Amino acid sequence: MISIEVIDRKHCEALSLIVSTDTELARHLYGQGKAPAPTSEYEFFEQCKRWEHKNGGFCYAVLLDGVAIGTASYVPIRGGETAGVGFYISSKYWGKGYGTELLNELKNTLKEKGFKYITGNMPKSNIASKRVFEKCGAKFKECGDRVYSVIELQ
């Protein structure tokens, strides 16, 4: 079962290993031909905290039965009624429905926090991510090589 927790140092060993070694994930996050960047637990945690401070956002560890398999984050935008979200999970867990389960978990969490909409964007080439948003009720707009999604939280 997928759950999310505010990111903590206890999650960072597993998460730093994922971003340091998962070549398939790196290709999707950073583009064709890009290799994973070695990142220590400390660096991973500090990068998350700097991102939160810079963007006014929040980072979560994505847990599968209590084990960290990815991250999710959000930033309040448009006067605070919309949350811009982003997430990834280790490629060894792709194709098992965990992305959809994760986005549904984010929807519930963000609705409880008072948001009315979730938005995300992805490269047009990332068909799997678009499909996850589609399964969760998103509407889409394409612009250049990007796809922008909006989900109304009801």
Side-chain angles (χ1 to χ4, degrees):
M1 179 172 181
I2 292 291
S3 61
I4 58 174
E5 282 183 13
V6 172
I7 206 152
D8 189 274
R9 290 189 189 277
K10 69 184 178 187
H11 306 115
C12 292
E13 180 179 1
L15 295 172
S16 66
L17 186 63
I18 291 168
V19 298
S20 296
T21 62
D22 193 331
T23 55
E24 193 65 18
L25 177 63
R27 187 173 66 81
H28 282 275
L29 290 177
Y30 312 121
Q32 198 69 14
K34 301 287 184 176
T39 304
S40 72
E41 300 168 42
Y42 175 80
E43 289 170 325
F44 186 88
F45 183 76
E46 291 303 313
Q47 286 172 356
C48 290
K49 293 303 166 188
R50 280 192 304 272
W51 180 90
E52 287 179 335
H53 181 74
K54 177 183 175 187
N55 296 292
F58 300 88
C59 294
Y60 293 91
V62 177
L63 307 174
L64 175 61
D65 299 325
V67 176
I69 65 165
T71 67
S73 58
Y74 78 89
V75 175
I77 57 175
R78 298 193 182 110
E81 72 174 11
T82 301
V85 301
F87 58 87
Y88 66 81
I89 58 175
S90 169
S91 65
K92 73 180 184 178
Y93 298 101
W94 292 356
K96 299 177 181 182
Y98 297 133
T100 303
E101 196 175 331
L102 167 58
L103 188 52
N104 280 321
E105 181 73 12
L106 280 171
K107 285 173 58 177
N108 293 335
T109 298
L110 294 170
K111 183 178 179 182
E112 287 174 9
K113 292 184 178 292
F115 290 96
K116 295 180 181 176
Y117 304 93
I118 293 176
T119 186
N121 72 80
M122 63 226 70
K124 279 185 186 178
S125 61
N126 194 338
I127 296 165
S129 288
K130 184 179 178 194
R131 184 70 183 122
V132 166
F133 275 85
E134 188 175 61
K135 287 178 188 176
C136 293
K139 295 181 180 171
F140 299 97
K141 179 181 179 183
E142 293 186 8
C143 184
D145 65 344
R146 307 290 297 175
V147 175
Y148 297 87
S149 62
V150 175
I151 299 172
E152 185 174 356
L153 302 176
Q154 302 182 23

